[in-house]
Amino acid sequence: MGVGRRMKKQGAPEPLDEAHFTNLKRKAGMSVTESRAESQQYVKKRRTNGSDSKPARKDKKEKTNGKAKGFTNSMALPSQKSALKKSKKPEAVPLPLSDEEDEDSDAADFMNDEFDDLSIEGEEGGLGDGDDFLESGSEVYDSEDDHAHKAMFSEDEDESDAEEKLTAANIAGLTRKLDEQMAEQEADAQAELEEAALQTNIAGDRPHILSDDESDEEGVKTNALLAPDLQLLRTRINDTVRVLDEFSKLAEEGRSRAEYTAQLLKDICVYYGYSPYLAEKLFNLFPPKEAFAFFEANETPRPVVIRTNTLKTHRRDLAQALINRGVTLEPVGKWSKIGLQIFESPVPLGATPEYLAGHYILQAASSFLPVMALAPQEHERVLDMASAPGGKTTHIAALMKNTGCIFANDSNKSRSKGLIGNIHRLGAKNTIVCNYDAREFPKVIGGFDRVLLDAPCSGTGVIAKDASVKTNKTERDFLMLPHLQKQLLLAAIDSVDHASKTGGYVVYSTCSVTVEENEGVVQYALSKRPNVKLVETGLVFGKEGFTAYMGKSFDKSMKMTRRYYPHAYNVDGFFVSKFKKTGPSPTGAAATVKVDAGDEEVVDKRPVPETEEEAEDEFGGFDDAEDEVYIEKGKKNLMRKKGIDPKASKGDASKKKVNGKERSSKAK
Amino acid sequence: MRPLTETETQTLFAKLANYTGNSLKNLIAPLDNGPNADRYVFRLHQSRCYYVRLSLANLATSISRDKLLSLGTCLGKFTKTGKFRLHITALPILSEHARYKVWVKANGEMPFLYGGHIVKAHVGRWSEDCPEHQGVVVYSMNDTPLGFGVTARSTGEARRLDPTGITCFRQADCGEYLRDEDSLFATS
């Protein structure tokens, strides 16, 4: 690949359409000399390093070709060849356009199939495809005039086809990006080698990480005075993670896992600047290695993504317009037909004429997910309970093609200005913007076909965006927020019309990764509202929600919820769950805490009559032994309801039982 | 939220007719030929006028007055003196029914979006026989509506103008979404 790219750059100037690509061309022209030098350097580096990465890339290529079964093979190989020959033979060999389209759409299909493991591999494969397309595409369009270019983006073409070409047209920027990436990888690999060498030195004996007690205290003292040595800290974190991964092999004698974990947490707090409480909370979500990756990912920003407003334009048109402004971009992934990922932009993206005309909106990739899960249909009535700043609301409007009705609610009036602005800018005509506390909702208006609740949350998934979360979230927040979220979710469920022919769905999402705000809330809703059940979100990627966490067990169907992590998918940390409402909420459910109809045994919560002795006279004495059984059963039920396994904490339960016995005997 | 009064309707329609000409009646025509077809209506809420589907307006009645912030498309607002002022949010409706149009070249887009009037050098194309002081909708060369304004000269006169002469006074442009976000949608 590397050689091929170099040849391309040295070959004839890119034969893209003059009128539309002047900007791009200038840019590409400028980068030729730079990139040549760069690539030569790069090749040198490669030679010295040995051709390690090369066969790997080839492998991938072959894999993709092989899976595409023939047609890609037959296309890709000639185009590669032509790429090599190009410098000698610049005249165009027009390919039949229809054939190419066919092949492209097939390739796109195949990409969709393979998409599930949304890895870097796939992305690189995509880029590689783009390379090929540059060659074949440019040669096709070389000999033709402006009209040919228009035809390239005409309506009737397959969408993905055009996108591939856009990528191709954009390749000058992308290749540079890729070069940088490769260089970075190289550096990483080098660093890793060194590290490995270091580690092999240590590996014989077990790494000494935990200091002795007295020196530890001293260390803390000195640390408090001096700035912490970050390099040292990092290596120690690395070592601790390694030890925790293979504890039996690498741990020092007489040291417990808890000691290592405590040390690691302390280091993480210092190194990344988390509050100890939050660091522990986040650390407990993952195995040590993954947790480290998570903390690391929170330090790097997520890619800038824009969403095409399909009410006003098409993605390929928008991409073309932005490329003409010198923006480098590519489709965000095979899972979205409307997202574009921006690599670099010489113009502010929030002030281009296209932006002002409402052709796109800046929106994180993760924010696409809840709306995709909601899947609103045309002519439905939809409620967005916490809608500001309107990214998701306008997405819903676009999916509904401006039919039906959307209630966009936000409790914060000052935020609703941006919401109304975005709604108008993007041309959503079917929205009603209101300013209620969302908990009032079934009373204001109910009977919705779908409800989206993107709940206010602690924001532990978007630490990369807002680092203040690291320190300003306390234990209290993690009690208050879930409480609010539970109320909101019940209100959302009650607002849905279960008899809706097309819908009856609620989507609950947060930009947080903690269990309290996600699975905990969902579990609460499931136990409080037996008339809802979890259903598949319809999202093609994401990790399954937890069914058990730290001694709490959740419903089996929690597997159908989806979690997203920054280190796994390079999107913000996110949680998406989808409910289907099957029956009406019981009357008065919104007002009072309802007795759970799902359980067989209904716990009687009526107060004990005050005149107990009289009651005793009337009904005769209590049978203690019999009561004991019922009390026991009731307690187990209660624990199960709270998500605690009654068998797990037997000692505790027995203690309670003793208490209960005493109390009952006293009452007697 | 209420329907417009007679005088308000007149003021509004006079203003709109300046841009749309005769196609104004298409604005309020039923959407299909059915017996109870949906149609677009005008609704006044906190001195702002909204252009909205009737079915949507009926649904919005369940929202109390102080909690309702916006519905459908906002056209503009009635001033305290009873005049009507179109906002940039009315652009989709105006552009759909526009009679006279001005296309600005790519180099004229940004000056216009930053609030400048349109000078002759930036005009790429212009509807023929447009009179003076006539409402026009401004497009970019690829037919994206950018804003609207009134002509400073008739088409004939403008031909004799020097390149820096103003041909069209800006009334509203898309840049206001960023510049005037606070005042544009302030509802109280």
Side-chain angles (χ1 to χ4, degrees), chain B residues 86-105:
Chain B
L86 279 169
H87 282 168
I88 181 61
T89 47
L91 182 64
I93 288 138
L94 292 184
S95 67
E96 210 174 305
H97 301 281
R99 182 155 170 226
Y100 294 105
K101 300 176 180 181
V102 171
W103 285 264
V104 295
K105 293 179 192 162

Side-chain angles (χ1 to χ4, degrees), chain A residues 413-425:
Chain A
K413 205 164 188 174
S414 60
R415 272 161 69 90
S416 61
K417 270 176 205 156
L419 168 65
I420 300 172
N422 275 330
I423 284 173
H424 280 93
R425 187 170 59 81

Side-chain angles (χ1 to χ4, degrees), chain A residues 205-352:
Chain A
D205 47 14
R206 302 173 173 216
H208 180 71
I209 293 160
L210 297 172
S211 44
D212 303 323
D213 281 352
E214 61 272 20
S215 69
D216 191 29
E217 270 171 35
E218 261 174 48
V220 168
K221 267 176 199 164
T222 48
N223 270 356
L225 290 174
L226 293 169
D229 183 358
L230 292 182
Q231 199 65 43
L232 202 78
L233 216 52
R234 200 185 161 80
T235 41
R236 191 159 67 181
I237 291 174
N238 260 324
D239 285 343
T240 324
V241 166
R242 204 157 53 84
V243 168
L244 283 173
D245 260 8
E246 290 178 273
F247 192 76
S248 55
K249 269 191 205 164
L250 295 175
E252 284 180 81
E253 297 287 340
R255 294 290 195 171
S256 71
R257 210 182 165 85
E259 283 175 274
Y260 278 98
T261 313
Q263 178 65 46
L264 181 56
L265 276 173
K266 215 191 284 169
D267 288 348
I268 283 171
C269 287
V270 176
Y271 188 76
Y272 297 108
Y274 285 85
S275 69
Y277 174 74
L278 190 65
E280 190 181 355
K281 190 170 267 313
L282 294 175
F283 182 81
N284 285 337
L285 287 171
F286 309 103
K289 207 168 193 172
E290 216 184 326
F292 182 46
F294 174 77
F295 286 120
E296 223 13 45
N298 278 340
E299 299 303 304
T300 53
R302 304 277 82 76
V304 178
V305 175
I306 61 175
R307 180 176 61 78
T308 317
N309 182 18
T310 49
L311 289 173
K312 294 208 170 182
T313 185
H314 302 282
R315 182 164 74 168
R316 72 200 100 121
D317 298 337
L318 173 67
Q320 193 56 60
L322 288 178
I323 286 168
N324 287 346
R325 293 195 190 281
V327 180
T328 46
L329 44 77
E330 74 162 357
V332 69
K334 293 292 169 189
W335 51 273
S336 171
K337 289 242 176 248
I338 52 174
L340 285 170
Q341 183 174 343
I342 308 292
F343 292 107
E344 57 182 8
S345 163
V347 290
L349 275 175
T352 63

Side-chain angles (χ1 to χ4, degrees), chain A residues 353 404 416 424 431 433-436, chain B residues 53 64 67 69-70 72 74 109:
Chain A
S416 61
H424 280 93
T431 50
V433 183
C434 50
N435 179 221
Y436 283 100
Chain B
R53 272 205 318 273
S64 69
K67 299 287 187 190
L69 299 182
S70 162
C74 178
E109 276 178 23

Side-chain angles (χ1 to χ4, degrees), chain A residues 427-606:
Chain A
K429 296 175 182 172
N430 58 346
T431 50
I432 296 170
V433 183
C434 50
N435 179 221
Y436 283 100
D437 183 337
R439 284 171 289 186
E440 291 178 43
F441 238 88
K443 274 186 195 164
V444 178
I445 182 171
F448 290 95
D449 295 306
R450 283 159 210 267
V451 176
L452 173 63
L453 172 57
D454 185 34
C457 66
S458 61
T460 48
V462 288
I463 292 174
K465 220 186 270 175
D466 177 16
S468 69
V469 174
K470 284 178 186 176
T471 48
N472 68 5
K473 290 286 175 260
T474 59
E475 201 167 352
R476 192 178 151 75
D477 288 312
F478 287 96
L479 290 175
M480 297 296 285
L481 281 167
H483 181 69
L484 174 66
Q485 287 158 349
K486 284 168 187 172
Q487 288 175 321
L488 287 173
L489 183 52
L490 291 193
I493 290 170
D494 293 341
S495 308
V496 169
D497 175 18
H498 66 279
S500 161
K501 276 181 191 127
T502 53
Y505 292 102
V506 178
V507 168
Y508 172 75
S509 66
T510 63
C511 57
S512 176
V513 292
T514 58
V515 174
E516 291 91 333
E517 294 176 84
N518 298 329
E519 281 87 351
V521 176
V522 170
Q523 179 66 36
Y524 177 83
L526 288 177
S527 65
K528 280 289 170 192
R529 293 282 182 275
N531 53 340
V532 294
K533 60 170 197 266
L534 281 170
V535 291
E536 287 291 345
T537 54
L539 298 170
V540 286
F541 67 113
K543 297 198 168 156
E544 289 174 355
F546 294 120
T547 50
Y549 176 75
M550 294 188 80
K552 280 192 175 187
S553 61
F554 301 118
D555 201 277
K556 286 276 180 297
S557 59
M558 205 66 76
K559 271 197 173 138
M560 289 192 261
T561 63
R562 286 284 174 270
R563 287 178 152 264
Y564 298 87
Y565 298 123
H567 58 278
Y569 302 107
N570 200 15
V571 298
D572 290 326
F574 221 78
F575 175 83
V576 180
S577 59
K578 186 176 186 179
F579 297 89
K580 165 100 176 122
K581 190 171 174 184
T582 50
S585 285
T587 46
T592 57
V593 180
K594 176 188 70 72
V595 174
D596 204 340
D599 278 9
E600 318 80 305
E601 283 155 324
V602 176
V603 182
D604 191 356
K605 283 178 182 165
R606 279 176 301 177

